[in-house]
Amino acid sequence: MSTNMRILIPREKIADGVARIGREITRDFAGQSVTLVGVLKGACLFLSDLARQIELDATFDFIAVRSYGTKKESAGEVQLIKDVTTPLEGKNVILVEDILDTGLTFSFLQKLLMARKPRTLKFAALLDKPSRRQMPVQADYIGFQIEDEFVVGYGLDYAERFRNLPDICVFSEDP
Ligand code: IMP
Ligand code: MG
Protein backbone atom coordinates (compact mmCIF):
# COMPACT_ATOMS: atom_id res chain seq x y z
CA MET A 1 0.00 0.00 0.00
CA SER A 2 1.35 3.47 -0.83
CA THR A 3 0.28 6.79 0.59
CA ASN A 4 -0.08 10.07 -1.29
CA MET A 5 0.05 13.65 -0.02
CA ARG A 6 -1.01 16.57 -2.16
CA ILE A 7 -0.99 20.16 -0.92
CA LEU A 8 -4.52 21.55 -1.01
CA ILE A 9 -4.12 24.78 0.96
CA PRO A 10 -0.55 26.07 1.29
CA ARG A 11 0.60 27.76 4.49
CA GLU A 12 0.46 31.31 3.04
CA LYS A 13 -3.17 30.82 2.04
CA ILE A 14 -4.02 29.36 5.47
CA ALA A 15 -2.47 32.46 7.08
CA ASP A 16 -4.61 34.73 4.87
CA GLY A 17 -7.79 32.85 5.80
CA VAL A 18 -6.96 32.93 9.50
CA ALA A 19 -6.19 36.67 9.35
CA ARG A 20 -9.53 37.32 7.63
CA ILE A 21 -11.45 35.45 10.34
CA GLY A 22 -9.48 37.39 12.96
CA ARG A 23 -10.57 40.67 11.38
CA GLU A 24 -14.20 39.52 11.21
CA ILE A 25 -14.21 38.57 14.91
CA THR A 26 -12.42 41.80 15.87
CA ARG A 27 -15.07 43.78 13.99
CA ASP A 28 -18.09 41.79 15.25
CA PHE A 29 -17.06 42.01 18.92
CA ALA A 30 -15.57 45.52 18.91
CA GLY A 31 -15.38 46.89 22.46
CA GLN A 32 -16.15 43.49 24.05
CA SER A 33 -14.15 40.53 25.26
CA VAL A 34 -14.25 37.01 23.84
CA THR A 35 -13.54 33.50 25.11
CA LEU A 36 -12.08 31.16 22.50
CA VAL A 37 -12.91 27.51 23.20
CA GLY A 38 -10.71 25.21 21.12
CA VAL A 39 -11.71 21.64 20.39
CA LEU A 40 -8.68 19.42 21.10
CA LYS A 41 -6.57 18.32 19.49
CA GLY A 42 -7.27 19.38 15.92
CA ALA A 43 -8.00 23.07 16.58
CA CYS A 44 -4.91 23.88 18.63
CA LEU A 45 -2.81 25.24 15.73
CA PHE A 46 -5.74 27.20 14.30
CA LEU A 47 -6.60 28.65 17.72
CA SER A 48 -3.03 29.74 18.41
CA ASP A 49 -2.74 31.55 15.07
CA LEU A 50 -6.29 32.95 15.18
CA ALA A 51 -5.86 34.33 18.71
CA ARG A 52 -2.95 36.47 17.50
CA GLN A 53 -5.15 37.96 14.77
CA ILE A 54 -7.90 39.03 17.19
CA GLU A 55 -7.38 42.53 18.53
CA LEU A 56 -9.68 42.21 21.55
CA ASP A 57 -9.47 41.24 25.19
CA ALA A 58 -9.48 37.43 24.85
CA THR A 59 -9.27 34.33 27.03
CA PHE A 60 -8.79 30.70 25.99
CA ASP A 61 -10.24 27.43 27.11
CA PHE A 62 -10.21 23.93 25.67
CA ILE A 63 -12.63 21.06 25.37
CA ALA A 64 -12.03 17.56 24.05
CA VAL A 65 -14.40 15.10 22.48
CA ARG A 66 -14.08 11.67 21.03
CA SER A 67 -16.16 10.35 18.20
CA TYR A 68 -16.00 6.66 17.69
CA GLY A 69 -15.44 5.36 14.21
CA THR A 70 -12.77 4.41 11.72
CA LYS A 71 -9.68 6.51 11.05
CA LYS A 72 -11.50 8.57 8.43
CA GLU A 73 -15.19 8.39 9.38
CA SER A 74 -16.84 9.45 12.61
CA ALA A 75 -19.48 6.99 13.76
CA GLY A 76 -22.00 9.51 14.97
CA GLU A 77 -21.43 8.97 18.67
CA VAL A 78 -19.76 11.97 20.28
CA GLN A 79 -18.49 11.78 23.84
CA LEU A 80 -17.04 14.54 26.05
CA ILE A 81 -13.59 13.63 27.33
CA LYS A 82 -12.45 16.99 28.71
CA ASP A 83 -14.65 19.90 29.72
CA VAL A 84 -13.73 23.60 29.87
CA THR A 85 -12.27 24.76 33.19
CA THR A 86 -13.73 28.30 33.29
CA PRO A 87 -17.36 29.42 33.67
CA LEU A 88 -18.92 30.52 30.35
CA GLU A 89 -22.00 32.23 31.75
CA GLY A 90 -22.41 35.71 30.27
CA LYS A 91 -19.34 35.34 28.02
CA ASN A 92 -18.99 35.83 24.26
CA VAL A 93 -17.91 32.29 23.47
CA ILE A 94 -16.37 31.36 20.13
CA LEU A 95 -16.06 27.63 19.59
CA VAL A 96 -12.97 26.98 17.46
CA GLU A 97 -12.84 23.79 15.35
CA ASP A 98 -10.47 22.49 12.71
CA ILE A 99 -13.21 21.23 10.36
CA LEU A 100 -16.97 21.10 10.11
CA ASP A 101 -17.80 17.79 8.48
CA THR A 102 -21.01 15.92 9.35
CA GLY A 103 -21.85 18.54 11.99
CA LEU A 104 -22.34 15.92 14.70
CA THR A 105 -19.50 17.26 16.88
CA PHE A 106 -20.72 20.83 16.60
CA SER A 107 -24.35 19.89 17.35
CA PHE A 108 -23.18 18.04 20.45
CA LEU A 109 -20.98 20.92 21.63
CA GLN A 110 -23.58 23.56 20.84
CA LYS A 111 -26.06 21.85 23.14
CA LEU A 112 -23.46 21.38 25.86
CA LEU A 113 -22.18 24.96 25.74
CA MET A 114 -25.60 26.63 25.43
CA ALA A 115 -26.51 24.98 28.75
CA ARG A 116 -23.71 27.09 30.31
CA LYS A 117 -25.67 30.26 29.41
CA PRO A 118 -23.07 32.20 27.40
CA ARG A 119 -24.01 35.72 26.28
CA THR A 120 -23.39 34.60 22.69
CA LEU A 121 -22.11 31.39 21.12
CA LYS A 122 -20.41 31.63 17.73
CA PHE A 123 -18.65 28.94 15.78
CA ALA A 124 -15.38 29.31 13.84
CA ALA A 125 -14.25 26.43 11.61
CA LEU A 126 -11.07 26.63 9.55
CA LEU A 127 -12.47 24.15 7.02
CA ASP A 128 -15.99 23.30 5.96
CA LYS A 129 -17.07 20.23 3.97
CA PRO A 130 -20.72 21.15 3.28
CA SER A 131 -21.39 18.08 1.13
CA ARG A 132 -20.90 15.80 4.17
CA ARG A 133 -23.41 17.44 6.48
CA GLN A 134 -25.80 15.21 8.46
CA MET A 135 -27.02 17.90 10.87
CA PRO A 136 -28.47 21.29 9.87
CA VAL A 137 -25.59 23.37 11.25
CA GLN A 138 -23.34 26.02 9.81
CA ALA A 139 -20.36 28.00 11.03
CA ASP A 140 -20.36 31.75 11.68
CA TYR A 141 -16.74 32.06 10.56
CA ILE A 142 -15.26 29.78 7.89
CA GLY A 143 -11.73 29.74 6.51
CA PHE A 144 -12.20 27.56 3.42
CA GLN A 145 -14.88 25.35 1.92
CA ILE A 146 -13.45 22.13 0.55
CA GLU A 147 -14.66 19.14 -1.44
CA ASP A 148 -15.30 15.76 0.12
CA GLU A 149 -11.63 14.79 0.45
CA PHE A 150 -9.80 13.63 3.56
CA VAL A 151 -7.28 16.24 4.65
CA VAL A 152 -4.42 16.32 7.14
CA GLY A 153 -1.98 18.91 8.44
CA TYR A 154 -2.24 22.19 10.38
CA GLY A 155 -3.77 20.27 13.30
CA LEU A 156 -5.77 17.69 11.33
CA ASP A 157 -4.75 14.06 11.72
CA TYR A 158 -4.97 10.64 10.23
CA ALA A 159 -4.75 8.21 13.18
CA GLU A 160 -3.01 10.99 15.19
CA ARG A 161 -0.31 11.56 12.56
CA PHE A 162 0.44 14.57 10.35
CA ARG A 163 -0.96 17.25 12.67
CA ASN A 164 2.37 19.07 12.44
CA LEU A 165 2.39 19.54 8.65
CA PRO A 166 2.40 23.29 7.94
CA ASP A 167 0.16 22.96 4.85
CA ILE A 168 -3.26 21.34 4.55
CA CYS A 169 -2.85 18.26 2.36
CA VAL A 170 -5.16 15.70 0.80
CA PHE A 171 -4.17 12.30 2.09
CA SER A 172 -4.98 9.10 0.25
CA GLU A 173 -3.89 5.50 0.31
CA ASP A 174 -3.60 3.33 -2.78
CA PRO A 175 -4.09 -0.38 -2.24
P1 IMP B 1 -18.01 16.14 12.41
O1 IMP B 1 -18.52 15.80 13.76
O2 IMP B 1 -18.31 15.06 11.41
O3 IMP B 1 -18.42 17.51 11.91
O4 IMP B 1 -16.45 16.05 12.41
C1 IMP B 1 -15.62 16.85 13.07
C2 IMP B 1 -14.33 16.12 13.35
O5 IMP B 1 -14.04 15.03 12.43
C3 IMP B 1 -13.20 17.09 13.16
O6 IMP B 1 -12.96 17.85 14.33
C4 IMP B 1 -12.04 16.18 12.79
O7 IMP B 1 -11.42 15.70 13.96
C5 IMP B 1 -12.68 15.02 12.08
N1 IMP B 1 -12.55 15.16 10.60
C6 IMP B 1 -13.54 15.35 9.71
N2 IMP B 1 -13.07 15.44 8.46
C7 IMP B 1 -11.72 15.30 8.55
C8 IMP B 1 -10.66 15.30 7.59
O8 IMP B 1 -10.81 15.47 6.37
N3 IMP B 1 -9.41 15.11 8.10
C9 IMP B 1 -9.16 14.93 9.42
N4 IMP B 1 -10.11 14.94 10.35
C10 IMP B 1 -11.39 15.11 9.92
MG1 MG C 1 -9.48 13.82 14.37
Side-chain angles (χ1 to χ4, degrees):
M1 185 159 72
S2 71
T3 58
N4 298 308
M5 277 294 178
R6 168 171 63 82
I7 294 181
L8 181 69
I9 310 175
R11 61 199 80 181
E12 301 79 16
K13 207 171 154 202
I14 298 173
D16 289 348
V18 174
R20 175 179 46 76
I21 297 176
R23 287 193 299 273
E24 290 169 5
I25 292 173
T26 302
R27 179 199 64 208
D28 292 353
F29 291 94
Q32 303 177 59
S33 49
V34 293
T35 297
L36 304 177
V37 176
V39 184
L40 296 174
K41 304 167 201 166
C44 66
L45 277 71
F46 176 37
L47 186 143
S48 67
D49 285 342
L50 178 63
R52 284 174 280 184
Q53 300 292 335
I54 295 176
E55 295 173 26
L56 299 170
D57 179 35
T59 56
F60 302 166
D61 210 326
F62 294 93
I63 202 161
V65 292
R66 177 187 303 149
S67 51
Y68 290 103
T70 62
K71 288 172 182 169
K72 287 191 175 182
E73 295 282 334
S74 94
E77 182 90 2
V78 185
Q79 192 193 359
L80 183 70
I81 53 177
K82 183 217 168 296
D83 204 342
V84 293
T85 56
T86 48
L88 301 178
E89 189 169 349
K91 302 264 177 70
N92 293 313
V93 175
I94 303 174
L95 185 64
V96 180
E97 255 280 44
D98 50 3
I99 186 166
L100 175 57
D101 187 32
T102 62
L104 291 161
T105 306
F106 177 54
S107 303
F108 173 86
L109 289 175
Q110 189 177 35
K111 212 163 139 195
L112 185 98
L113 296 179
M114 282 309 286
R116 311 288 165 79
K117 300 185 168 50
R119 180 167 184 273
T120 53
L121 177 65
K122 298 287 182 188
F123 182 40
L126 180 66
L127 303 176
D128 182 20
K129 273 189 208 173
S131 63
R132 297 255 312 157
R133 207 76 88 244
Q134 290 176 26
M135 305 293 278
V137 295
Q138 59 190 54
D140 301 288
Y141 305 100
I142 294 170
F144 306 92
Q145 281 198 346
I146 64 169
E147 300 294 315
D148 183 10
E149 291 182 298
F150 193 81
V151 290
V152 296
Y154 196 70
L156 291 136
D157 73 304
Y158 172 71
E160 297 300 329
R161 297 176 63 202
F162 312 120
R163 294 191 195 274
N164 60 322
L165 298 181
D167 307 297
I168 293 171
C169 302
V170 174
F171 174 75
S172 58
E173 284 169 322
D174 295 329

